[in-house]
């Protein structure tokens, strides 16, 4: 751990590294502090509760996922459906590569507390999906949020069931891409 970083940043980075190597269940205050090279009481100076530290770590996951999707879409061909498919594949790839982080990012107890700021970090990615859905199916702008929410729920369900092995077993597929594409098509149709 870089001693030049501030304590807060060192704790968050230690937590990010820990969740990547050992999963979200390993995120105890004591272990994060140990990996950051500080006493087990030091995290309380910046994070009064364990949930606040976990939320700070999960925010890094949302930032990483959003950066990945943004980079992919920057070079993507035009067409909202194609771009939503690319977003869906990045979402699934992130979930597969960063299982512990993905699990942490969607913990209900962290998301339900608006004071921890985790929801705000997830909103830019959702707003991007809403914009793509609105572009794919122009119409009532208020319903784009509902359609995007339903699409996201479908994609999240595919990703979660795939990570558990349920969909691979049921479908015999070796890759979730056809399931992701079918979910996008079910919500947006098959046009451009």
């Amino acid at each position: 751990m870089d001693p030049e970083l501030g304590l807060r940043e060192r704790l968050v980075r230690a937590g990010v590294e820990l969740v990547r190597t050992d999963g979200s269940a390993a995120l105890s205050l004591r272990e994060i502090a140990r990996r950051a090279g500080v006493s087990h009481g030091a995290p309380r100076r910046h994070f009064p509760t364990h949930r606040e530290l976990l939320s700070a770590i999960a925010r890094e996951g949302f930032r990483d996922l959003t950066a990945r999707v943004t980079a992919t879409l920057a070079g993507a061909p035009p067409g909202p459906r194609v771009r939503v498919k690319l977003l869906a594949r990045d979402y699934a790839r992130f979930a597969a590569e960063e299982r512990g982080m993905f699990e942490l990012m969607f913990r209900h107890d962290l998301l339900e507390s608006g004071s921890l700021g985790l929801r705000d970090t997830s909103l830019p990615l959702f707003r991007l999906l809403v914009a793509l859905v609105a572009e794919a199916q122009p119409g009532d702008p208020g319903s784009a949020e509902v359609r995007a929410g339903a699409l996201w729920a479908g994609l999240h369900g595919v990703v979660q069931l795939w990570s558990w092995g349920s969909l691979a077993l049921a479908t015999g597929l070796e890759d979730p891409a056809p399931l992701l594409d079918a979910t996008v098509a079910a919500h947006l149709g098959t046009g451009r």
Side-chain angles (χ1 to χ4, degrees), residues 84 106 140 147 160 174:
V84 170
F106 292 100
D140 176 19
R147 291 190 318 261
Q160 191 63 60
E174 294 181 15

Side-chain angles (χ1 to χ4, degrees), residues 52-105:
E52 288 183 39
L53 177 54
L54 295 181
S55 292
I57 295 164
R59 279 194 298 273
E60 293 303 310
F62 277 113
R63 286 185 185 109
D64 184 22
L65 176 57
T66 301
R68 288 181 189 204
V69 168
T70 302
T72 295
L73 296 184
R81 284 175 185 81
V82 170
R83 295 165 63 83
V84 170
K85 284 183 182 182
L86 292 171
L87 182 152
R89 290 185 183 183
D90 272 356
Y91 192 73
R93 196 173 304 112
F94 182 88
E97 293 170 0
E98 303 281 351
R99 286 186 75 164
M101 181 62 82
F102 191 78
E103 180 182 301
L104 180 67
M105 289 162 55

Side-chain angles (χ1 to χ4, degrees), residues 2 9 17 19 29 39 44 67 133 138 143:
D2 186 347
E9 181 65 22
E17 290 171 18
V19 76
L29 281 176
S39 73
R44 297 275 186 214
V133 166
S143 66

